[in-house]
Each structure stands twice: as structure tokens, then as C-alpha cells.
Amino acid sequence: MIVPCRAPRQTSVVTALVAFAMLATARADDASLPPQPATTPSGQKAAATGGHGNTPTPPAAEQNRLPPDSTTKQTVALPGRTLAFTATAGSIRLFDDKGEPQADIAYTAYQLDGADSRTRPVTFLFNGGPGASSAWLQFGDAGPWRLAIAGDAANSSASPDLQPNAETWLDFTDLVFIDPVGTGYSRFVATGEDVRKRFFSVDGDVNSIAVTIRRWLEKSDRLLSPKFVVGESYGGIRGPKVVRNLQTGQGVGVKGLILVSPVLDFREASGGSSLLQYVMSLPTMAAVAREAKGAVTRADMADVERYARGDFLADLVKGLADTEATTRLADKVAALTGIDQAVSRRLAGRFDVLEFRREFDRRDGKVTGRYDASVLGFDPFPDSSFYHFNDPSGEPLYAPLSSAVVDLTMRKLNWRPDGSYEVLSNAVGKAWDFGRGRDPAESVSQLKEILAFDPKLNLLVGHGLFDLATPYFGSKILLDQLPAYATPDRVKLVVYPGGHMFYSRDASRRAFRTEVEELMK
């Protein structure tokens, strides 16, 4: 609101004090970010002292600093249209409460030329892991260029050549892909284990991403734009918590949250004596068996979903002591999955993900993918009594995706950081504090809060039918527990043929893009 007349002196003083307090709070938020130690990134040479021995060694933060932002003009020719846009590859530095630099968070932003920034949506995207860069969403789904990651292209020696993405979201929203610290080119610039522990934790990670989003909005003069947040996989934990942090800690409202193949609650997802883990995964396992015989959709799984949450759950609850119930459910699971009845009876019909992946096609010495269980690969140790296989639907993608990112960043976007690009960092995952024990990580609480806090905020959740990493039926069960204000017009679950990265399939990617565009209207 514009006030045409001069405010009284007292009002001016109060206004100034309020503004100062808000600024101080914002800087304090920057400061409270989780940081990590200034170890020299892989492939980067540490700064050396001068040859005369009297040149001071630069501070660790300067040794590890990412290069200045690079902004370039780009065009991409797509079916029926050509998009002209501005691309920025750069970073945002985060500080602690003493003003000391902690980490440089790398991002890649694409903004359509000629659009009104006040009404043009801007969407912030991040993946999960923890330890995954945003390359998966950027080059598999939403960005202006795409890398084929399905079929013959899903192998380590595939060409990393990026092609224009006909299904890019850039038509209807600007895009900002964020790499949390330890992923992509993002890095710590501070030293000390305390910094690493803060960033590699559920709450510290969330705060760092929320502050990065606010800082980018300020830096790019986009605070007035409609804002959306997208998280994939562990992004299902991050996403709702980031939106809540933005609402209450950063003073930034969000119009919509989009979750791709999310995990929402670690308490029931796997392990221990949880019975729901079997209920959540059974429809996916049955879908994989049916896919082997022909095309399958979510609608084709209605009978399995009814059984999973009905008779199957009832027999599970009766326990192993009830041999009649155990035999009944074991035989039904064998029929649904195609796994040998004797094996199913031996396991009491309770297949964890690893057991299913090995037993599904053990006769041919093959294992299914975890990300996409419709993908089969050879078991490298078929004679072993233990599980010694990795993921044939995931690991073959690392090499081409990493090469594609580096080539685009350095050649087309003209940004040349030193060090390696971490497309998926195992070190981050191993160091992560999930807050397990009595209080394992979950984000359903924050989903309830953000939907209640802002009645205009909408949620879209997308899953793949054949995803054993985060089975779609797990999200279905949890979303059904949301209060009545989470009405169907505000909360939508869509499920497509495909795996964790269901967008690798052309038809699924197109259908999901349509849902996203509708959400942003």
C-alpha cells in the first residue's frame, strides 16, 4: 500500500525500528544455517603459499569459494514454439550467527524472457537422497534440456548428449534447481565437525534450503512472484518442512507443493516389526508381476489395493502363531507376485524389498531394480546365500547424467567450478542424522500444518507404479490420514507406469507435466 502523505515523526521512528528488527531477524536466520568443514573438494587443489614464503594463505572460505555467477541468454527450439530465456548458474553463500561463512549452495535458474515477474510463477526444485543433486529433476523431467534415462539409454556407456525437452515446465514457470551442500558443486567453506553435523541433519538441511530460497528471491527481485516448491524422494521429508520454514521463519508464502516419489514417514516404511511395510509394498510387487505380462495402470491394481488394506492386513495382524492365516496370505502373495509358493510360505508371505528383488526372477539369475522393479539385471553373485547386488535401474544412470551436467554447466552456461560434480553422494547419506530412535523423521505433521496454515496452498503427489524405494501405496495410506480440510481439490495423488523416476517414460512425463501446469494456474 502507498501512503501519499508524510507520516508523523513518531510513526517514522516506529517503522524504522520494525524494519531494522525484521532485517536483523532475516540475517539471524541466515546465520543459523547448517554448515560443513572446509575440506578440499575432490579434484581441487588446495591454495599454496607464494614462492617467497611470505604470501599469506587465503582463508579456507576463499580457497573453497565457487566462481562468480554466470548469466547467459539461451534459446531452445521445441515442437510448436521456441523459448528464449535467461540462464544463471551460480551460488548463494550461507553464514552462521556470527556472520562467518558456512557453505556455498549452488543453483541453476532458468527465467523466461519477456514475462512479468510479478505474476510469473517461480518453482524451486530439489532431490533427496540425502546426498542427491537436483540433476535428476532438471535433466530427467522439468528443465529445458533432457537426457534420456530409460530403455537402451539407461546404461553407463550411453551418450550424455542433452536434447531439447519438449515437456519442460519453463512454458508456465521459471525454474530454480538447488543442490544441497555436499551435492552437485555445493560445498562447505567452513571447517569443523559441528558445521558438518548441523547441515547433515533433518532440521539443519531444511533451514539451509529455506534460507537459500529466500535469498534467491531477494537477490533476483522475485519476492512478489507466485512460488512453488518441488521435492523428490527424501524431498518428501524436506518439502513440507521447507514450506513450513518459509511460511513461519522466512516470511515467504508458497502457493503449491509438488512431491515426486516421496517418502513421508520413516516410522512405518521399513524395518523392525512394522506390518505396514508389507501393506505399502504389496501393490507395487503385484504391479511388477503384471507388467511382465503386459501394460499396467493404477486402475488395474484396485483389487490388490483392496486386498492389501483388507484381508491381507487382517491376516498379518493375526501373527505367525495363526498358521491358517499365515498360509492363506502366503499363498495369496505368491499368486499375486508370481514368486514360488514354497518360497512365499517359507517367508510367511512377508517379503521385504531385498527379498522380493532377488526372488522375483531368481530362476534366471536376475534381480529387479529398487528404483524401478520392472527393470531386471543380472545378479553378479547368484550362488551367494546373501545379497550382493546393487540397483540395475539406478547405478547405470550416474555416469551419463554426471557427464551431461558438467558439459552443460561449463560449455553452455559458462560456469566453471573446480572439483567434482556429486550427482549422488554416498558420503552425505552415511553422515546424515535422520533423528531416528524415538522420533524418526516424518513430514506428515508439517503437511497438516501447511495445509491448515494456508487454505489456498495445494499439494500434488506423483508416484511410479513400480517404485520399491518409495511405494506409491505408502503415500496413499498416509494422505488418507490427513484431516478433512485436505479436500480432494487441494490434495491429489497421481500414479503412472514407471519407477522412482517415472518421468523417464515419455507418456508418464507428459501426463505429470499436465498435472503440474494445472496446479499452477
Side-chain angles (χ1 to χ4, degrees), residues 232-236 260-264 266 269 280-281 284 353 370-371 462-475 499-501:
E232 179 176 343
S233 195
Y234 179 77
V260 180
S261 306
V263 56
L264 299 172
F266 281 112
M280 291 174 170
S281 60
T284 292
V353 168
R370 176 172 174 262
Y371 284 148
H463 270 284
L465 268 176
F466 316 123
D467 179 6
L468 282 175
T470 57
Y472 79 90
F473 201 54
S475 288
H500 200 61
M501 291 79 77

Side-chain angles (χ1 to χ4, degrees), residues 419-486:
S420 301
Y421 183 90
E422 294 285 354
V423 68
L424 184 61
S425 171
N426 290 327
V428 172
K430 290 178 180 178
W432 203 263
D433 178 5
F434 285 93
R436 289 186 181 272
R438 287 188 171 185
D439 189 24
E442 58 89 17
S443 63
V444 178
S445 297
Q446 286 72 40
L447 273 182
K448 294 176 179 178
E449 290 174 337
I450 64 176
L451 289 166
F453 191 76
D454 185 350
K456 299 294 185 181
L457 187 149
N458 294 327
L459 170 67
L460 174 65
V461 179
H463 270 284
L465 268 176
F466 316 123
D467 179 6
L468 282 175
T470 57
Y472 79 90
F473 201 54
S475 288
K476 167 63 176 171
I477 291 172
L478 293 172
L479 293 175
D480 283 347
Q481 310 312 310
L482 294 176
Y485 57 74

Side-chain angles (χ1 to χ4, degrees), residues 372-408:
D372 188 340
S374 69
V375 174
L376 295 173
F378 287 109
D379 184 346
F381 303 99
D383 55 342
S384 172
S385 60
F386 198 66
Y387 310 104
H388 293 293
F389 54 84
N390 293 315
D391 189 348
S393 65
E395 290 194 10
L397 307 179
Y398 298 170
L401 189 57
S402 298
S403 294
V405 175
V406 174
D407 181 66
L408 176 80

Side-chain angles (χ1 to χ4, degrees), residues 59-132:
E62 299 311 310
Q63 294 181 46
N64 292 333
R65 176 182 287 277
L66 287 169
D69 296 0
S70 173
T71 299
T72 57
K73 292 293 186 180
Q74 304 287 342
T75 59
V76 60
L78 303 171
R81 81 272 195 203
T82 297
L83 301 181
F85 57 96
T86 300
T88 301
S91 65
I92 289 176
R93 174 155 289 194
L94 304 181
F95 300 85
D96 66 11
D97 55 5
K98 297 178 182 178
E100 296 294 330
Q102 303 291 285
D104 284 348
I105 306 299
Y107 69 87
T108 306
Y110 303 108
Q111 301 182 73
L112 194 69
D113 292 344
D116 183 351
S117 64
R118 293 170 298 180
T119 58
R120 168 86 170 164
V122 58
T123 301
F124 299 90
L125 305 93
F126 42 79
N127 277 77

Side-chain angles (χ1 to χ4, degrees), residues 12-40:
S12 299
V13 171
V14 172
T15 302
L17 289 174
V18 170
F20 179 79
M22 292 176 65
L23 180 61
T25 300
R27 296 313 109 202
D29 286 343
D30 291 1
S32 62
L33 291 173
Q36 167 186 3
T39 53
T40 304

Side-chain angles (χ1 to χ4, degrees), residues 16-328:
L17 289 174
V18 170
F20 179 79
M22 292 176 65
L23 180 61
T25 300
R27 296 313 109 202
D29 286 343
D30 291 1
S32 62
L33 291 173
Q36 167 186 3
T39 53
T40 304
S42 172
Q44 176 181 346
K45 296 180 179 179
T49 57
H52 297 292
N54 57 1
T55 302
T57 301
E62 299 311 310
Q63 294 181 46
N64 292 333
R65 176 182 287 277
L66 287 169
D69 296 0
S70 173
T71 299
T72 57
K73 292 293 186 180
Q74 304 287 342
T75 59
V76 60
L78 303 171
R81 81 272 195 203
T82 297
L83 301 181
F85 57 96
T86 300
T88 301
S91 65
I92 289 176
R93 174 155 289 194
L94 304 181
F95 300 85
D96 66 11
D97 55 5
K98 297 178 182 178
E100 296 294 330
Q102 303 291 285
D104 284 348
I105 306 299
Y107 69 87
T108 306
Y110 303 108
Q111 301 182 73
L112 194 69
D113 292 344
D116 183 351
S117 64
R118 293 170 298 180
T119 58
R120 168 86 170 164
V122 58
T123 301
F124 299 90
L125 305 93
F126 42 79
N127 277 77
S133 72
S134 63
W136 305 89
L137 281 172
Q138 180 175 179
F139 301 107
D141 193 12
W145 298 282
R146 192 176 69 83
L147 182 70
I149 54 174
D152 292 340
N155 61 75
S156 297
S157 60
S159 170
D161 186 28
L162 291 169
Q163 298 297 320
N165 181 14
E167 289 78 46
T168 181
W169 301 0
L170 190 57
D171 290 273
F172 51 85
T173 179
D174 292 336
L175 303 166
V176 184
F177 297 92
I178 297 173
D179 292 330
V181 69
T183 75
Y185 287 117
S186 297
R187 60 190 59 171
F188 291 101
V189 296
T191 57
E193 282 303 312
D194 288 346
V195 161
R196 186 184 298 266
K197 289 178 180 178
R198 288 170 59 208
F199 267 104
F200 291 163
S201 69
V202 174
D203 291 338
D205 167 73
V206 165
N207 197 48
S208 70
I209 294 173
V211 172
T212 297
I213 290 173
R214 175 177 60 76
R215 292 277 304 281
W216 186 91
L217 290 167
E218 294 170 346
K219 176 179 178 179
S220 306
D221 194 22
R222 296 298 299 271
L223 283 168
L224 299 183
S225 302
K227 304 158 198 76
F228 294 84
V229 169
V230 180
E232 179 176 343
S233 195
Y234 179 77
I237 298 293
R238 277 180 175 144
K241 292 177 182 291
V242 165
V243 172
R244 183 63 173 156
N245 186 300
L246 287 168
Q247 288 176 335
T248 60
Q250 311 301 326
V252 174
V254 175
K255 289 198 66 176
L257 172 63
I258 300 164
L259 299 178
V260 180
S261 306
V263 56
L264 299 172
D265 193 336
F266 281 112
R267 292 176 297 185
E268 298 289 356
S270 63
S273 58
S274 169
L275 297 180
L276 275 182
Q277 62 175 308
Y278 306 116
V279 176
M280 291 174 170
S281 60
L282 181 60
T284 292
M285 293 176 180
V288 172
R290 294 181 180 182
E291 169 80 357
K293 300 176 182 178
V296 179
T297 67
R298 164 84 188 282
D300 298 324
M301 305 310 300
D303 62 317
V304 184
E305 292 181 15
R306 283 194 301 270
Y307 170 67
R309 71 196 316 171
D311 292 344
F312 179 64
L313 178 57
D315 282 345
L316 282 174
V317 171
K318 291 174 183 176
L320 296 175
D322 190 327
T323 56
E324 183 179 342
T326 300
T327 300
R328 180 169 57 242

